[in-house]
Amino acid sequence: MQDKLEEQQEKAKTEIKQVKTEYEDQLRDSNIAFNTKEDEAADLKRENRALMLEIGRQKDEIKELKEQVNQAQLHQRRCESEARDHEAETEGLNEQITDLQERSATLQVSCRLCDQIQTSSHISLHACGYVNRCMSVYC
């Protein structure tokens, strides 16, 4: 009976060792899994920080680009305004040219008339209004 008790005790010890070994294996596996999850969490935190920094840089870049767009639009409006001013100035100059051409044509007609009068009356009329009378005794 003592042999039987010793055998049962050995069997119980073996079973305890086996349970303890299984428990230690499970504990080790759990610790490994926990450490892996902690490492993943730390990696995700680092990645999150990096992404937040990148988002901040991109926000700054967006701000700069918006400012550049605003400056470009302002420049475009100025150029369009200057173009309208130049267009108006060109129209005014064209009108002046037309007026001067008309005046020139009128003066040329007047000069032809003056030439005709000069030939017939010995009086020299100039487009500027100057009158030159011939003082020659032979006229």
Side-chain angles (χ1 to χ4, degrees):
M1 183 140 142
Q2 189 167 356
D3 284 340
K4 196 171 185 181
L5 285 175
E6 283 178 13
E7 189 178 309
Q8 284 178 346
Q9 188 178 12
E10 276 303 313
K11 193 175 181 185
K13 283 182 182 181
T14 304
E15 198 175 306
I16 289 172
K17 255 188 190 181
Q18 187 178 2
V19 168
K20 185 178 177 185
T21 302
E22 287 176 11
Y23 172 75
E24 286 174 351
D25 289 345
Q26 287 178 352
L27 184 61
R28 188 186 70 248
D29 291 345
S30 294
N31 283 338
I32 290 171
F34 179 79
N35 290 338
T36 301
K37 293 295 180 186
E38 274 190 333
D39 291 345
E40 288 175 14
D43 290 344
L44 289 172
K45 285 179 182 178
R46 278 190 295 279
E47 187 178 335
N48 185 43
R49 274 192 298 267
L51 288 173
M52 294 306 277
L53 289 173
E54 182 62 26
I55 288 169
R57 281 190 288 272
Q58 287 179 356
K59 283 182 179 181
D60 290 343
E61 185 178 351
I62 288 169
K63 186 178 177 181
E64 285 179 31
L65 290 173
K66 282 182 178 181
E67 183 59 33
Q68 289 176 4
V69 166
N70 289 339
Q71 292 297 323
Q73 288 173 337
L74 179 63
H75 181 70
Q76 180 183 9
R77 286 192 295 273
R78 282 188 200 134
C79 290
E80 288 171 351
S81 177
E82 285 181 26
R84 284 190 298 275
D85 292 346
H86 289 305
E87 209 172 287
E89 184 179 349
T90 300
E91 286 178 27
L93 291 172
N94 286 337
E95 289 174 9
Q96 285 179 356
I97 290 169
T98 302
D99 291 345
L100 291 172
Q101 287 172 338
E102 290 173 1
R103 175 81 173 126
S104 176
T106 303
L107 290 175
Q108 286 175 0
V109 169
S110 296
C111 284
R112 275 188 235 117
L113 289 174
C114 290
D115 288 344
Q116 289 172 0
I117 293 171
Q118 284 177 13
T119 305
S120 63
S121 66
H122 300 279
I123 296 174
S124 179
L125 294 173
H126 297 273
C128 65
Y130 174 73
V131 176
N132 187 14
R133 294 184 193 277
C134 179
M135 299 295 183
S136 172
V137 287
Y138 299 108
C139 290

